[in-house]
Amino acid sequence: MVQTTQDTGSRPVLPLAPGRPPADSAGRLRSWLRRHPRILTPLRRLMLDMSPYLPGLAQLVARLSARRWGPSPQAYRRWVEEHDTPGPAALAGMVRTALAMPDPPLISVVMPVYNTPEPLLRAAIASVRAQAYPHWEMCIADDASPAPHVQAVLAEAAASDARIRTVRRSCNGHISAASNTALELARGEFVALMDHDDLLPPQALFVVARQIRAHPETDLFFSDEDKVDGEGRRYDPYFKPGWNPELLLGQNLVSHLGVYRRELLNRLGGLREGLEGSQDWDLALRSVAAAGVERVRHIPAILYHWRQGAEATSFSEGALERCAAAGRKALAEHLEQNGAHGAEVVPQGDLPGWPRIRHAMPRPRPMASLILALPAAPEGVEALLPLLEMGGHAPAELLLIWPAGKGQPAPAGTDPRLRLLPGPPAAGRAALLNAAAAQARGEVLVLLEPGVEPAREDWLSELVAQAARPEIGAVGAMLLGPGRRIRHAGYVLDGETPARPWPLLGQAVEDDRGYIGQLRLPRDVSAVSGACLAVRKASFEAVGGLAPLPCWSDVDLCLKLRAAGLRVIWTPFSRLWQRQEDDMADRAARAEALSWLRARWGGRLAQEGFFSPLLPLREGEPSILAAPRAMAGAG
């Protein structure tokens, strides 16, 4: 038996736990290391230095030392108590406001039921009856439950509240069919989808109703959510970004709480059978395609409690592989029906429940022009050829450009893919890249910084396939530093710097999932790093190329592309090493560039649309904000 001894000196004692399972002991070790940074910091540095020689070591140190993704459980509990638990006076005020609301929207809460344990079914119904907003109806379809208590509970609920209407199906048809049966009862202008054992907080429908009246053109609303355990404790919040069409292709961003215009659901024929487990994701995809992205709106508030680990499990908890397969099918059909012909949806290798979309390459395959701006003439080019050889894409060319008069280049050899271009004398990086882009032969430009090297063999093919999509303006890659630590996963706009790296990166390494999977899924971002940025040449020229700035010209380019109606995305499936630190201008030059950007973009620099408005952008802010930040766009 392992003994632990208590040291009365200043040296901390490692808490060994006899008889504990390995996972529990690992968790205790991780917690202990976080409490003793004097040991953790040099240990992390040593392990990261050794990681190039010992595969997997970087992942180990990240799992031992990285902070939790998103807010800590303690911070979330405190935020719930202080900012998300309306008291009796606040709820009474909501009731008065709702009763005085002219033409209040009727919201139909649609809920399919099957063999729900009695306490959970009663709690779900009670959470709707406790709503501060009185203009609702509850439409419940019993999917031929064999348990006798289900009908008894539903009959009792309907008898006690005329707003509750129920129907019993003659045979079991599963969740899609049962949801459609409940939907047939609905009379409301909008429909909120609810599972049979989940909970709505008492302010949920009031918040939704105010959004409906404030944005009458919207057809689909979706809110933030959290989970609730068998003891009713709230945890694991998902503070969602604004509308993010690329992220919706990787996860069901809408559920929960999803609130749909009933006319839209009727037009779509309700939920599709045969996709059980991902039927709500399929519905969200079809609804967005039918309504248009301008009619989708995010509500930055926790309006749904998803029950986990109780006596009853949701379909998606109990049949994960079947749900994942249904999700891939729904996603593939959505892509095909919306112009992404030939796209392949496959499981991610180490995360088989997560999808990866391999977009089809246009025919003929577009040429990619890799452009590298150098401070002086290259002394050798052999070390740069892996950019082409490991790209997994042809045709491609590599253009090297530098200010004329700064050295003589070494012979380039006979490789026709390599072109050496002396640029304008004394030109900065932006001017050099613009000059090379004008001479590029490719339809897709890939702007690179010195010190960037491939980390995966298909890095270029992923960028080209994404950049070739007609709705995409720019694509950024995952950039890795020492120890495979993620250096770049997109930029957020904070109005000060003007853009900063994706928050919540912490000590994330290459294969980490990040907050709710956001480091393993492509997503829309405000801007991406010019250290590796792919853009169609036609789009680059249409917006005037790069502004002649000493820094942040990549941010300006992304803002111009988005202003032109194109999207900017980041993909984790293109990975490169960034061997050098970002080449940042001196303080005076940064101040000049920031002044120029503020004059051009104004308040737009402070409107971050793709990161949760309830999570902090800057150091020193609370881990969860008391009220949402202003966001860009309708989403």
Side-chain angles (χ1 to χ4, degrees):
M1 182 174 181
V2 177
Q3 300 290 327
T4 62
T5 58
Q6 190 69 33
D7 191 332
T8 57
S10 60
R11 180 166 52 88
V13 178
L14 184 64
L16 300 178
R20 288 188 179 271
D24 193 12
S25 296
R28 289 169 60 86
L29 175 60
R30 180 167 54 247
S31 298
W32 183 85
L33 284 170
R34 289 173 179 167
R35 293 196 304 270
H36 298 91
R38 287 183 300 171
I39 293 177
L40 174 59
T41 299
L43 176 63
R44 180 195 295 134
R45 187 178 299 116
L46 174 64
M47 295 177 77
L48 288 175
D49 288 342
M50 295 173 60
S51 61
Y53 312 102
L54 296 173
L57 195 58
Q59 285 80 357
L60 174 61
V61 70
R63 283 160 176 76
L64 287 175
S65 62
R67 64 184 175 89
R68 180 184 300 272
W69 306 116
S72 69
Q74 297 82 2
Y76 185 56
R77 286 196 296 269
R78 185 166 56 250
W79 181 83
V80 167
E81 293 172 0
E82 296 176 357
H83 303 293
D84 203 45
T85 306
L91 292 173
M94 294 179 195
V95 173
R96 290 192 298 271
T97 301
L99 292 174
M101 187 181 293
D103 190 24
L106 177 64
I107 301 175
S108 300
V109 179
V110 166
M111 188 170 76
V113 167
Y114 181 75
N115 263 16
T116 319
E118 183 172 347
L120 305 187
L121 180 57
R122 288 186 179 277
I125 295 172
S127 76
V128 177
R129 296 191 66 187
Q131 291 298 301
Y133 183 74
H135 309 293
W136 56 264
E137 64 175 5
M138 194 171 191
C139 306
I140 306 175
D142 176 10
D143 197 16
S145 299
H149 72 265
V150 173
Q151 269 300 296
V153 170
L154 297 184
E156 176 188 323
S160 62
D161 195 322
R163 295 172 295 181
I164 299 176
R165 296 188 295 143
T166 69
V167 62
R168 177 175 170 84
R169 290 172 50 84
S170 59
C171 61
N172 179 259
H174 301 298
I175 189 169
S176 295
S179 297
N180 288 336
T181 299
L183 182 59
E184 292 173 0
L185 300 176
R187 297 171 297 188
E189 181 183 357
F190 280 83
V191 171
L193 301 182
M194 182 177 178
D195 287 345
H196 63 169
D197 56 352
D198 294 339
L199 303 171
L200 298 184
Q203 72 274 23
L205 297 185
F206 176 78
V207 174
V208 170
R210 295 191 72 173
Q211 288 288 315
I212 290 172
R213 283 298 167 254
H215 306 283
E217 75 288 349
T218 302
D219 286 339
L220 170 56
F221 296 89
F222 68 99
S223 78
D224 298 344
E225 62 185 282
D226 65 8
K227 297 182 176 67
V228 62
D229 64 15
E231 302 299 320
R233 292 173 296 220
R234 293 172 55 182
Y235 70 103
D236 198 13
Y238 187 3
F239 293 109
K240 300 175 185 177
W243 175 238
N244 197 307
E246 199 68 21
L247 188 57
L248 182 65
L249 299 180
Q251 62 178 218
N252 185 358
L253 189 63
V254 170
S255 294
H256 309 86
L257 174 68
V259 181
Y260 298 78
R261 191 180 295 275
R262 183 166 63 91
E263 183 275 330
L264 173 63
L265 294 185
N266 290 338
R267 181 157 36 105
L268 293 173
L271 290 90
R272 286 203 296 167
E273 297 184 41
L275 294 172
E276 282 73 17
S278 288
Q279 76 288 338
D280 47 0
W281 190 14
D282 170 71
L283 179 64
L285 291 167
R286 291 187 293 126
S287 297
V288 171
V293 296
E294 68 280 357
R295 301 177 77 90
V296 180
R297 179 165 289 273
H298 170 230
I299 303 175
I302 301 282
L303 302 184
Y304 197 93
H305 306 317
W306 184 15
R307 193 180 295 277
Q308 300 282 291
E311 182 180 348
T313 60
S314 66
F315 187 95
S316 56
E317 278 188 279
L320 293 179
E321 175 49 38
R322 205 182 329 166
C323 294
R328 291 193 295 270
K329 179 182 178 183
L331 188 54
E333 292 178 1
H334 168 79
L335 292 168
E336 182 66 27
Q337 292 167 6
N338 289 275
H341 303 299
E344 183 184 11
V345 182
V346 298
Q348 291 198 32
D350 59 329
L351 296 172
W354 295 33
R356 175 183 177 180
I357 301 172
R358 298 183 185 274
H359 288 277
M361 196 70 71
R363 292 288 184 264
R365 294 171 70 89
M367 173 179 277
S369 294
L370 284 59
I371 304 176
L372 188 59
L374 303 172
E379 297 180 356
V381 297
E382 293 78 8
L384 300 175
L385 292 179
L387 288 168
L388 293 170
E389 295 165 353
M390 294 180 62
H393 177 80
E397 62 175 358
L398 175 60
L399 284 67
L400 305 181
I401 189 168
W402 66 95
K406 290 196 173 182
Q408 291 295 322
T414 59
D415 193 327
R417 300 173 299 172
L418 183 62
R419 299 168 61 193
L420 304 183
L421 304 174
R429 180 172 183 269
L432 291 172
L433 291 172
N434 286 339
Q439 300 185 53
R441 303 186 184 114
E443 296 99 313
V444 175
L445 309 177
V446 182
L447 312 182
L448 300 169
E449 283 186 357
V452 171
E453 303 171 8
R456 285 172 59 150
E457 292 194 354
D458 58 350
W459 75 273
L460 181 56
S461 60
E462 167 71 7
L463 288 180
V464 174
Q466 294 281 12
R469 296 163 59 191
E471 71 274 20
I472 300 301
V475 187
M478 176 185 287
L479 301 179
L480 304 172
R484 294 187 175 271
R485 186 179 298 168
I486 299 175
R487 278 185 168 174
H488 179 69
Y491 285 139
V492 295
L493 303 178
D494 67 355
E496 293 180 357
T497 53
R500 64 175 64 234
W502 191 255
L504 306 179
L505 267 182
Q507 302 295 321
V509 295
E510 182 177 8
D511 288 323
D512 281 338
R513 302 181 187 187
Y515 182 57
I516 320 293
Q518 293 184 11
L519 295 180
R520 295 294 300 271
L521 296 170
R523 48 187 164 75
D524 286 81
V525 292
S526 291
V528 292
S529 170
C532 180
L533 184 155
V535 56
R536 292 191 303 277
K537 182 177 181 180
S539 300
F540 183 82
E541 293 177 339
V543 299
L546 293 167
L549 298 174
C551 55
W552 299 316
S553 59
D554 48 4
V555 175
D556 177 70
L557 174 64
C558 291
L559 290 174
K560 290 188 294 186
L561 290 166
R562 290 177 52 211
L566 299 172
R567 291 165 43 210
V568 175
I569 66 171
W570 173 83
T571 174
F573 302 123
S574 177
R575 302 180 184 181
L576 298 97
W577 296 106
Q578 189 179 21
R579 300 295 188 187
Q580 301 177 13
E581 295 288 343
D582 291 330
D583 185 16
M584 184 57 71
D586 60 36
R587 179 176 297 182
R590 292 201 306 271
E592 179 183 352
L594 181 57
S595 176
W596 188 94
L597 287 168
R598 285 174 172 166
R600 177 167 192 158
W601 296 105
R604 181 66 187 83
L605 290 177
Q607 294 181 326
E608 170 53 45
F610 302 108
F611 190 72
S612 169
L614 280 166
L615 294 179
L617 289 177
R618 309 176 187 90
E619 295 294 332
E621 291 183 323
S623 59
I624 311 174
L625 304 184
R629 268 187 320 274
M631 296 186 70

